[in-house]
Amino acid sequence: MSIFGRRTKPVEEQIDGDIFNKETDGLSQGQIVRKRFVRHRGAMISLVVLLSLIIFVFSALGFKIFGIGYGGWWKYKITDIPNLRTTGCSIELPGCPTLDLLPGKNFGLGDHPFGQDDLGRDYFALVMRGAERSIEVMVVIGLVAGFLGIVVGSIAGFYRGVIDAFFMRLVDFIITIPVIVIGSVLGYHFGSKGVLFLALFLGLVSWGGLSRLVRGDFLTLREREFVDAARVAGASNRRIIFKHILPNAIGVIIVNVTLIMSGAILLEAALSYLGFGVVPPDVSLGLLISQYQDSFTTRPWLFWYPGLIIIIVALSVNFIGDGLRDAFDPRQRRRISRKDRAAERQPIVKK
Amino acid sequence: MLAYIGRRIAVMLVILFGSSFLIYNAAAYSGDPLEGLRTSTDPKVHAKVLDLIRTLHLNVPPPARYFIWLKGIGRVFTGHLDFGRARDGTLVSTHISAAIPVTIRLILLSFILAVLFGIGFGIVSALRQYSRFDYALTFLAFLMYSLPIFWVAVLLKEYLAISFNNFLLNGTIAPIWILSASAVSGFFWAAVISGTRKKVVSIFAIAAGATAFVLVLLSVTKWFTHPGLGPIMMLVLGLGFAVGVTYLSTGIGNKAALRASITVVVIGFVLYFPVEYFLKKYASLSTVFVMLLLTLAIAIGTGYFFAKVDRRPIIRTSVITSIFVGLLFIIDKLMKTWVPYINTDAIHQRPIPTISESNNLLPSGNFWFSSLDTILHLVLPTLALILITMAAYIRYSRGTMLEVLNQDYIRTARAKGLSERTVIMRHAFRNTLIPITTILVVDFAGIMSGAIITEQIFGWRGMGSQFNQAIHTQDLNLLMGFILVTSTLVILANLVADLLYSALDPRIRVVGKK
């Protein structure tokens, strides 16, 4: 009994290694990664939660892409101002939420699941629109920053020399100014031009860290034997980058893009909270929290729901990133249960 | 080495020049500093506009105006750093020098606590890899990582500050709270210490029982409304801490270290009344500082006296213990100030504030009053910041520790027959700290910018609120002042991190062979 007690004995570690080797025997890298990711319970649950949340949110109010539209299944739009609901609420607080998750006759979403704000607007519609915006911002920042980070990092790491020095000084420029500062300056002036515009700008300033990591990976990988072999076989630079090096660096890239994305949803919320992000009449989760934080004591539901959605999205993205990290890490081993160890210890007798 | 530092600083200046030029122009072109005045109906508006144009050089186009600003900054080499003037004609440098201490106060304590707890939890979690404790902590870390700070802050204000203030009116803890706190404490210690099933159950029982006992005692004696430590309680806490530190630092088997740290606690106990008198009579920061020096001197002397061989770890143990004893003295003094403090008109029985960095209505001139006030104002922002920043340190130190534990030198240390405590504290823990140290340095500079949000939520008047105000009022010089300070800090931190890394890890050389 001690803080320093060891849980696994050296013999068990040896057995674990054997089990691990047997399991991955004969599988391709991609198959191993997929197998490990599926086994990561937190990541799989998060993936399901995130995907269903995205489908739920985007179908609620409907969307329109290239003329193909879907009206949405929710009865209110964010511009509707229905009467404040008074039945079932206390007299001084009309517009209380109707969401009821306990089994009973009120079970279900009800008329206003997240309640109504002080004007009577349906808060469910507002939160759904805010979540749409926040998820869009997250995805756009992830795509822009991921793309730029990969391109700059690969070019700098592969070609080295002057090109590398130039790009890395550029990264130094960008990293010097904290993202929240540059985001505030840009957001204050461009936030009014639309959410996607804001996301684009934020994406343009958040690729620095990723490009450094990608560059580091490229610098190591380009010295490896398989790259030499490809070059001797006459492969072009393009082919070496895309077919040989990039697939080997994909783990670092994917994991860091998920980290950028979970950071992005919090960044957008923080900027909107400060008043430098999304501006009314547009809606985002951060903006909703900042608008209704003072009504916490009177109408707590106006404060709870947007925050909970931010947390659910950020948490699931983080867990997915963790699952991917474990899946891509060759040194990572899953936890081996006692039962598996016992089975391994007593080899099955061949008949 | 000097050439390397010189070259890095030269590069740094170029980077600062470039980034400040870019952001200056971006901010200047995208906003209109005269916006508010254009729609004004003030009859003197014309004179005001002319005045503003003159003080801020608005008649010069931004790229050229940047160099006017840079000329002022460039005077740093002659010792007359000039950040220019804010919109209202005041010097930006006075704004900055007033704001920096506030921001430092805001982030320093939370940073230290987050680092201590983060690394501690992370390492225990790594030692218990794949245990329930590890899974729970991982989940908590991810949860903290995903929390928007402004959202947490509102919850803390509501549930912590206001409820705690209400609780203090009475000062008794409801049985349900005692039960749940005991259960939490039991689970926590059982998970941390672990062992066979029987031992885990007994640890759970001991920890839960002890917690329940202490809470009931505090509740019954109305300790929360009349807090204080007194010499006996300080002796007990001090001895417990001394044993704990000795266990972690040198192992209980090292009798010299145990004797030294216990002696330090006993000396503190003997000197209780004289120290108490001094802290009361000469209440000021310098007294506290002198006391600290004396404490350290006593601790080093005691350690030196008891140690015959291998003095450093023993002196380290007694010094850590002495710092804790010193802290107990200050806490005791602050607790004695508590009752008069919360009964002043300015506080009115509601001690935990939800906003601003100090209470202006308090009677001034009393050192302990103002210290207590400062500390109480720190409670909420510090908690919020710890919640947000600790997660990264938990994850990072856990990952690093796991990596270190797989190294060959750990296997060698075990093969030599060293105790598990020595292997972990001396071989694994120290090597874990190397990469963490460098991350911390860079992070500290980054937290400065995080203060923008925290200050906004809690209404502090530091660097962050200045930045907010500067953007909203289009005050370019004020904005640039903030950006220059934070970006200089970030760059310096990067340099320090690189140097520290090479100093701590001999395998890494900053000056490469050519």
Side-chain angles (χ1 to χ4, degrees):
Chain A
M1 181 195 82
S2 139
I3 291 185
F4 302 111
R6 293 178 66 190
R7 287 178 60 88
T8 43
K9 300 183 189 80
V11 184
E12 291 175 339
E13 277 170 19
Q14 182 63 44
I15 295 172
D16 291 357
D18 292 346
I19 296 178
F20 174 76
N21 287 338
K22 204 181 272 177
E23 275 176 357
T24 52
D25 208 20
L27 296 178
S28 75
Q29 184 64 28
Q31 283 169 319
I32 296 174
V33 166
R34 223 167 298 136
K35 199 173 163 185
R36 286 203 199 130
F37 182 76
V38 172
R39 194 172 267 159
H40 194 292
R41 209 177 300 156
M44 284 312 283
I45 295 174
S46 301
L47 192 65
V48 172
V49 168
L50 187 65
L51 286 179
S52 18
L53 186 79
I54 288 177
I55 293 171
F56 184 77
V57 163
F58 277 85
S59 63
L61 297 183
F63 49 83
K64 200 167 187 183
I65 307 168
F66 304 124
I68 307 159
Y70 166 63
W73 49 265
W74 188 239
K75 52 192 151 189
Y76 297 107
K77 297 284 161 227
I78 57 167
T79 43
D80 294 347
I81 305 183
N83 290 330
L84 278 166
R85 195 175 77 98
T86 47
T87 44
C89 303
S90 62
I91 297 165
E92 51 292 3
L93 277 183
C96 63
T98 55
L99 181 68
D100 192 351
L101 295 178
L102 300 172
K105 72 174 164 51
N106 291 330
F107 177 79
L109 289 176
D111 211 22
H112 298 288
F114 292 176
Q116 290 167 285
D117 72 357
D118 38 1
L119 295 175
R121 288 187 295 176
D122 179 52
Y123 204 53
F124 183 79
L126 282 173
V127 171
M128 288 301 121
R129 177 49 53 82
E132 272 178 30
R133 289 287 171 268
S134 294
I135 292 172
E136 280 166 19
V137 169
M138 178 179 90
V139 171
V140 170
I141 292 181
L143 287 178
V144 173
F147 178 75
L148 283 174
I150 294 170
V151 168
V152 172
S154 338
I155 293 177
F158 187 80
Y159 290 101
R160 299 191 297 187
V162 185
I163 299 175
D164 180 31
F166 169 76
F167 277 126
M168 286 304 110
R169 290 299 86 75
L170 189 68
V171 171
D172 282 342
F173 276 129
I174 293 171
I175 286 187
T176 313
I177 305 167
V179 174
I180 183 120
V181 172
I182 206 164
S184 306
V185 174
L186 294 173
Y188 183 69
H189 302 299
F190 301 112
S192 51
K193 300 220 166 98
V195 185
L196 293 180
F197 207 67
L198 175 76
L200 196 70
F201 267 104
L202 291 178
L204 286 178
V205 294
S206 30
W207 52 271
L210 177 67
S211 75
R212 273 190 177 173
L213 290 170
V214 174
R215 167 184 174 264
D217 253 26
F218 263 68
L219 283 178
T220 347
L221 289 169
R222 76 190 295 282
E223 306 298 334
R224 297 273 290 272
E225 289 83 357
F226 64 86
V227 174
D228 287 341
R231 189 165 290 131
V232 170
S236 64
N237 282 343
R238 219 185 91 140
R239 190 177 168 82
I240 292 177
I241 292 178
F242 285 107
K243 290 273 174 187
H244 295 272
I245 302 186
L246 211 50
N248 279 295
I250 202 77
V252 172
I253 293 170
I254 292 182
V255 169
N256 279 283
V257 168
T258 58
L259 287 183
I260 291 178
M261 283 167 76
S262 73
I265 194 164
L266 292 179
L267 176 69
E268 181 275 322
L271 288 180
S272 302
Y273 173 82
L274 290 174
F276 302 142
V278 176
V279 285
D282 219 331
V283 189
S284 91
L285 295 177
L287 191 66
L288 285 176
I289 296 180
S290 110
Q291 278 173 338
Y292 295 113
Q293 58 171 329
D294 293 331
S295 51
F296 182 68
T297 39
T298 49
R299 294 185 163 85
W301 59 85
L302 296 179
F303 173 81
W304 279 109
Y305 292 109
L308 285 179
I309 298 215
I310 292 182
I311 292 176
I312 292 174
V313 174
L315 192 61
S316 16
V317 174
N318 272 327
F319 261 112
I320 294 171
D322 188 52
L324 288 170
R325 188 208 320 269
D326 281 0
F328 278 110
D329 187 352
R331 284 163 305 180
Q332 192 74 36
R333 289 172 183 181
R334 74 182 173 96
R335 181 189 183 180
I336 311 264
S337 69
R338 286 204 191 93
K339 219 196 281 171
D340 294 345
R341 270 191 211 125
E344 175 70 18
R345 208 173 286 173
Q346 292 156 352
I348 301 152
V349 184
K350 277 184 190 155
K351 281 178 186 167
Chain B
M1 192 55 144
L2 275 179
Y4 170 79
I5 296 177
R7 204 168 61 233
R8 280 289 297 261
I9 289 179
V11 171
M12 181 183 124
L13 288 177
V14 174
I15 290 174
L16 272 181
F17 167 76
S19 61
S20 60
F21 183 78
L22 284 179
I23 199 123
Y24 190 97
N25 286 296
Y29 274 116
S30 53
D32 177 11
L34 298 176
E35 199 178 357
L37 290 173
R38 285 194 211 286
T39 51
S40 165
T41 50
D42 190 348
K44 288 194 293 259
V45 71
H46 188 64
K48 278 188 175 171
V49 168
L50 285 180
D51 204 34
L52 205 58
I53 290 178
R54 206 175 56 247
T55 46
L56 300 180
H57 306 288
L58 294 180
N59 47 355
V60 183
R65 208 191 314 153
Y66 169 78
F67 287 97
I68 299 179
W69 176 80
L70 190 66
K71 209 171 105 191
I73 301 298
R75 298 241 285 278
V76 67
F77 294 110
T78 57
H80 304 281
L81 181 61
D82 180 12
F83 281 103
R85 285 177 186 279
R87 280 179 70 107
D88 53 2
T90 50
L91 283 171
V92 171
S93 48
T94 55
H95 286 276
I96 290 181
S97 53
I100 283 183
V102 176
T103 301
I104 296 276
R105 201 197 305 160
L106 174 71
I107 59 180
L108 192 63
L109 182 69
S110 63
F111 181 71
I112 293 173
L113 290 176
V115 168
L116 285 180
F117 284 113
I119 293 181
F121 282 137
I123 283 176
V124 173
S125 162
L127 294 178
R128 306 259 168 284
Q129 193 189 11
Y130 299 143
S131 66
R132 285 199 189 87
F133 180 74
D134 185 30
Y135 286 129
L137 205 64
T138 303
F139 180 78
L140 274 183
F142 276 125
L143 186 65
M144 290 193 269
Y145 216 64
S146 317
L147 290 174
I149 186 169
F150 46 92
W151 195 76
V152 177
V154 174
L155 292 185
L156 282 179
K157 282 182 184 181
E158 183 66 26
Y159 290 112
L160 202 93
I162 296 175
S163 316
F164 190 71
N165 284 339
N166 289 340
F167 155 75
L168 279 181
L169 291 178
N170 183 341
T172 48
I173 315 173
I176 176 86
W177 285 108
I178 295 184
L179 278 181
S180 33
S182 314
V184 168
S185 145
F187 279 123
F188 177 79
W189 288 109
V192 167
I193 296 175
S194 106
T196 59
R197 179 151 303 190
K198 202 174 145 196
K199 273 174 182 152
V200 166
V201 171
S202 67
I203 292 166
F204 176 86
I206 293 171
T211 313
F213 175 73
V214 169
L215 286 180
V216 168
L217 198 68
L218 293 181
S219 173
V220 168
T221 55
K222 297 258 173 190
W223 188 81
F224 286 102
T225 46
H226 298 87
L229 288 178
I232 303 296
M233 218 140 120
M234 280 172 65
L235 183 68
V236 173
L237 286 175
L239 287 179
F241 188 81
V243 173
V245 165
T246 315
Y247 173 64
L248 287 179
S249 156
T250 59
I252 282 294
N254 189 332
K255 290 291 177 258
L258 191 62
R259 282 191 200 115
S261 55
I262 286 180
T263 311
V264 167
V265 176
V266 173
I267 292 176
F269 173 68
V270 172
L271 291 179
Y272 179 79
F273 288 103
V275 170
E276 192 61 35
Y277 175 76
F278 267 105
L279 285 179
K280 195 172 181 176
K281 182 102 191 267
Y282 308 102
S284 70
L285 201 59
S286 47
T287 312
V288 174
F289 187 68
V290 170
M291 289 284 181
L292 178 72
L293 290 183
L294 275 176
T295 316
L296 290 181
I298 290 175
I300 293 173
T302 320
Y304 202 81
F305 176 75
F306 279 101
K308 297 289 174 278
V309 284
D310 199 15
R311 289 206 162 98
R312 268 178 68 182
I314 295 167
I315 293 179
R316 186 180 62 214
T317 314
S318 63
V319 163
I320 296 175
T321 316
S322 76
I323 291 174
F324 180 74
V325 174
L327 262 180
L328 282 182
F329 270 109
I330 292 179
I331 292 172
D332 184 54
K333 189 68 207 146
L334 287 172
M335 283 180 169
K336 283 193 175 138
T337 326
W338 178 264
V339 174
Y341 174 81
I342 64 168
N343 285 321
T344 49
D345 290 339
I347 305 303
H348 205 69
Q349 309 268 343
R350 305 207 65 86
I352 309 279
T354 54
I355 206 147
S356 111
E357 74 271 13
S358 61
N359 193 328
N360 297 327
L361 301 172
L362 271 181
S364 59
N366 186 330
F367 173 70
W368 293 110
F369 256 46
S370 52
S371 308
L372 188 60
D373 187 55
T374 309
I375 290 169
L376 289 174
H377 277 91
L378 272 174
V379 171
L380 285 192
T382 304
L383 266 176
L385 279 174
I386 288 177
L387 270 181
I388 306 298
T389 47
M390 192 168 75
Y393 302 135
I394 294 181
R395 293 299 297 161
Y396 197 73
S397 54
R398 177 182 177 274
T400 318
M401 186 75 178
L402 285 177
E403 207 151 283
V404 169
L405 284 176
N406 273 331
Q407 299 288 323
D408 288 340
Y409 55 78
I410 297 295
R411 186 173 304 169
T412 311
R414 283 189 180 133
K416 282 194 293 186
L418 296 178
S419 71
E420 194 63 19
R421 191 200 67 78
T422 318
V423 172
I424 285 166
M425 291 304 283
R426 209 171 272 182
H427 296 255
F429 178 61
R430 289 190 175 184
N431 282 300
T432 309
L433 287 186
I434 296 175
I436 293 177
T437 319
T438 57
I439 292 260
L440 293 184
V441 178
V442 181
D443 258 21
F444 186 70
I447 293 180
M448 281 286 279
S449 58
I452 297 172
I453 308 171
T454 324
E455 284 179 12
Q456 165 87 4
I457 308 163
F458 291 105
W460 283 50
R461 291 175 291 269
M463 295 293 283
S465 71
Q466 256 181 34
F467 172 78
N468 273 328
Q469 185 202 334
I471 289 192
H472 280 296
T473 58
Q474 299 288 342
D475 201 332
L476 199 54
N477 285 342
L478 198 57
L479 178 74
M480 290 310 292
F482 174 87
I483 289 177
L484 192 69
V485 170
T486 43
S487 48
T488 311
L489 269 177
V490 171
I491 296 190
L492 273 181
N494 272 306
L495 176 62
V496 171
D498 285 354
L499 294 178
L500 254 180
Y501 206 34
S502 80
L504 291 172
D505 190 341
R507 285 171 302 183
I508 292 176
R509 289 270 162 270
V510 285
V511 194
K513 276 182 230 150
K514 290 260 162 162

